[in-house]
mmCIF file of all heavy atoms in Angstrom:
data_model
loop_
_atom_site.group_PDB
_atom_site.id
_atom_site.type_symbol
_atom_site.label_atom_id
_atom_site.label_comp_id
_atom_site.label_asym_id
_atom_site.label_seq_id
_atom_site.Cartn_x
_atom_site.Cartn_y
_atom_site.Cartn_z
ATOM 1 N N ASN V 148 -0.630 -1.039 2.023
ATOM 2 C CA ASN V 148 0.171 -1.196 0.798
ATOM 3 C C ASN V 148 1.511 -1.858 1.084
ATOM 4 O O ASN V 148 2.546 -1.497 0.498
ATOM 5 C CB ASN V 148 0.370 0.140 0.076
ATOM 6 C CG ASN V 148 -0.842 0.509 -0.759
ATOM 7 O OD1 ASN V 148 -1.726 -0.316 -0.977
ATOM 8 N ND2 ASN V 148 -0.897 1.731 -1.223
ATOM 9 N N LEU V 158 -4.370 -3.848 1.504
ATOM 10 C CA LEU V 158 -3.707 -3.736 0.209
ATOM 11 C C LEU V 158 -4.676 -3.186 -0.832
ATOM 12 O O LEU V 158 -5.790 -3.692 -0.979
ATOM 13 C CB LEU V 158 -3.207 -5.101 -0.266
ATOM 14 C CG LEU V 158 -2.162 -5.810 0.592
ATOM 15 C CD1 LEU V 158 -1.892 -7.199 0.039
ATOM 16 C CD2 LEU V 158 -0.883 -5.003 0.642
ATOM 17 N N ALA V 159 -4.246 -2.149 -1.534
ATOM 18 C CA ALA V 159 -4.959 -1.722 -2.733
ATOM 19 C C ALA V 159 -4.418 -2.602 -3.857
ATOM 20 O O ALA V 159 -3.322 -2.374 -4.362
ATOM 21 C CB ALA V 159 -4.706 -0.249 -3.017
ATOM 22 N N ASP V 160 -5.159 -3.630 -4.200
ATOM 23 C CA ASP V 160 -4.675 -4.662 -5.115
ATOM 24 C C ASP V 160 -4.640 -4.117 -6.541
ATOM 25 O O ASP V 160 -5.679 -3.926 -7.178
ATOM 26 C CB ASP V 160 -5.582 -5.881 -5.022
ATOM 27 C CG ASP V 160 -5.013 -7.087 -5.752
ATOM 28 O OD1 ASP V 160 -4.010 -6.916 -6.473
ATOM 29 O OD2 ASP V 160 -5.561 -8.182 -5.608
ATOM 30 N N ALA V 161 -3.435 -3.884 -7.030
ATOM 31 C CA ALA V 161 -3.269 -3.264 -8.348
ATOM 32 C C ALA V 161 -3.483 -4.232 -9.499
ATOM 33 O O ALA V 161 -3.518 -3.813 -10.660
ATOM 34 C CB ALA V 161 -1.874 -2.654 -8.455
ATOM 35 N N ALA V 162 -3.639 -5.515 -9.215
ATOM 36 C CA ALA V 162 -3.661 -6.515 -10.282
ATOM 37 C C ALA V 162 -4.790 -6.267 -11.279
ATOM 38 O O ALA V 162 -4.581 -6.280 -12.494
ATOM 39 C CB ALA V 162 -3.774 -7.913 -9.684
ATOM 40 N N HIS V 163 -6.001 -6.052 -10.780
ATOM 41 C CA HIS V 163 -7.146 -5.892 -11.678
ATOM 42 C C HIS V 163 -6.999 -4.622 -12.516
ATOM 43 O O HIS V 163 -7.214 -4.639 -13.733
ATOM 44 C CB HIS V 163 -8.441 -5.839 -10.865
ATOM 45 C CG HIS V 163 -9.676 -5.898 -11.700
ATOM 46 N ND1 HIS V 163 -9.953 -6.933 -12.560
ATOM 47 C CD2 HIS V 163 -10.712 -5.029 -11.821
ATOM 48 C CE1 HIS V 163 -11.110 -6.714 -13.166
ATOM 49 N NE2 HIS V 163 -11.586 -5.555 -12.734
ATOM 50 N N GLY V 164 -6.617 -3.519 -11.880
ATOM 51 C CA GLY V 164 -6.465 -2.264 -12.610
ATOM 52 C C GLY V 164 -5.359 -2.324 -13.647
ATOM 53 O O GLY V 164 -5.508 -1.797 -14.757
ATOM 54 N N HIS V 194 5.866 -4.186 -6.980
ATOM 55 C CA HIS V 194 4.678 -5.010 -7.229
ATOM 56 C C HIS V 194 4.085 -4.700 -8.599
ATOM 57 O O HIS V 194 3.735 -5.614 -9.364
ATOM 58 C CB HIS V 194 3.655 -4.747 -6.126
ATOM 59 C CG HIS V 194 2.389 -5.528 -6.256
ATOM 60 N ND1 HIS V 194 2.363 -6.901 -6.385
ATOM 61 C CD2 HIS V 194 1.083 -5.129 -6.278
ATOM 62 C CE1 HIS V 194 1.115 -7.316 -6.465
ATOM 63 N NE2 HIS V 194 0.329 -6.257 -6.419
ATOM 64 N N LEU V 198 3.540 -6.943 -12.064
ATOM 65 C CA LEU V 198 2.229 -7.060 -12.707
ATOM 66 C C LEU V 198 2.286 -6.678 -14.185
ATOM 67 O O LEU V 198 1.740 -7.383 -15.038
ATOM 68 C CB LEU V 198 1.209 -6.171 -11.986
ATOM 69 C CG LEU V 198 0.793 -6.603 -10.586
ATOM 70 C CD1 LEU V 198 -0.105 -5.536 -9.958
ATOM 71 C CD2 LEU V 198 0.062 -7.940 -10.622
ATOM 72 N N PRO V 288 -8.285 2.786 -4.171
ATOM 73 C CA PRO V 288 -9.215 3.213 -3.113
ATOM 74 C C PRO V 288 -8.518 3.557 -1.799
ATOM 75 O O PRO V 288 -8.719 2.900 -0.772
ATOM 76 C CB PRO V 288 -10.130 1.994 -2.968
ATOM 77 C CG PRO V 288 -9.255 0.831 -3.298
ATOM 78 C CD PRO V 288 -8.322 1.321 -4.376
ATOM 79 N N ARG V 315 -7.860 -7.021 0.842
ATOM 80 C CA ARG V 315 -7.477 -6.556 -0.486
ATOM 81 C C ARG V 315 -8.618 -5.730 -1.086
ATOM 82 O O ARG V 315 -9.756 -6.205 -1.149
ATOM 83 C CB ARG V 315 -7.160 -7.744 -1.401
ATOM 84 C CG ARG V 315 -5.994 -8.589 -0.897
ATOM 85 C CD ARG V 315 -5.744 -9.797 -1.799
ATOM 86 N NE ARG V 315 -4.698 -10.636 -1.244
ATOM 87 C CZ ARG V 315 -3.396 -10.441 -1.424
ATOM 88 N NH1 ARG V 315 -2.997 -9.434 -2.185
ATOM 89 N NH2 ARG V 315 -2.508 -11.225 -0.869
ATOM 90 N N LEU V 316 -8.292 -4.534 -1.517
ATOM 91 C CA LEU V 316 -9.275 -3.640 -2.108
ATOM 92 C C LEU V 316 -9.035 -3.545 -3.611
ATOM 93 O O LEU V 316 -7.894 -3.361 -4.043
ATOM 94 C CB LEU V 316 -9.172 -2.251 -1.475
ATOM 95 C CG LEU V 316 -9.330 -2.214 0.048
ATOM 96 C CD1 LEU V 316 -9.088 -0.794 0.567
ATOM 97 C CD2 LEU V 316 -10.709 -2.705 0.460
ATOM 98 N N PRO V 317 -10.078 -3.667 -4.421
ATOM 99 C CA PRO V 317 -9.891 -3.700 -5.879
ATOM 100 C C PRO V 317 -9.556 -2.329 -6.455
ATOM 101 O O PRO V 317 -9.904 -1.290 -5.897
ATOM 102 C CB PRO V 317 -11.250 -4.191 -6.390
ATOM 103 C CG PRO V 317 -12.221 -3.727 -5.349
ATOM 104 C CD PRO V 317 -11.491 -3.831 -4.036
ATOM 105 N N THR V 318 -8.856 -2.341 -7.591
ATOM 106 C CA THR V 318 -8.563 -1.124 -8.350
ATOM 107 C C THR V 318 -9.326 -1.165 -9.668
ATOM 108 O O THR V 318 -9.756 -2.229 -10.116
ATOM 109 C CB THR V 318 -7.054 -0.995 -8.617
ATOM 110 O OG1 THR V 318 -6.573 -2.194 -9.237
ATOM 111 C CG2 THR V 318 -6.300 -0.781 -7.311
#
Side-chain angles (χ1 to χ4, degrees):
N148 279 348
L158 298 174
D160 190 350
H163 189 58
H194 180 54
L198 290 174
R315 299 178 184 276
L316 303 175
T318 54

